[in-house]
Amino acid sequence: MKESEVAFFRPLWIRILVTGVLAVWLGFEALFTHDSFWMTIIGAALAYCIWLLFINFPKRVPEVPPDDEAGTP
């Protein structure tokens, strides 16, 4: 993930919200529409979301090196 994406998804509630929306969408597809194409697409997106935002998410905030204010010749 890029540093900007990590910063956006740092709060746990955002990661839970995104994953929850996908889970509800998958439930809707499974219970009401029975469309196997969309169930596969949303199921894959949900699995990737769980992998990326919970299992493989960086535990620490990435350190940004300080800018060189003096400049380099």
Side-chain angles (χ1 to χ4, degrees):
M1 291 180 81
K2 298 177 187 173
E3 286 184 32
S4 61
E5 294 171 348
V6 170
F8 178 76
F9 286 113
R10 176 68 45 202
L12 181 61
W13 70 270
I14 291 178
R15 292 182 277 158
I16 291 173
L17 178 70
V18 170
T19 307
V21 166
L22 286 174
V24 168
W25 189 1
L26 180 62
F28 174 78
E29 292 292 340
L31 294 175
F32 296 108
T33 64
H34 305 290
D35 189 356
S36 61
F37 174 75
W38 282 110
M39 284 191 291
T40 303
I41 297 294
I42 301 305
L46 180 61
Y48 183 69
C49 184
I50 290 170
W51 169 257
L52 189 66
L53 296 180
F54 292 100
I55 297 171
N56 200 26
F57 196 76
K59 303 298 182 217
R60 294 185 305 132
V61 177
E63 295 180 17
V64 178
D67 293 335
D68 187 12
E69 295 180 17
T72 55

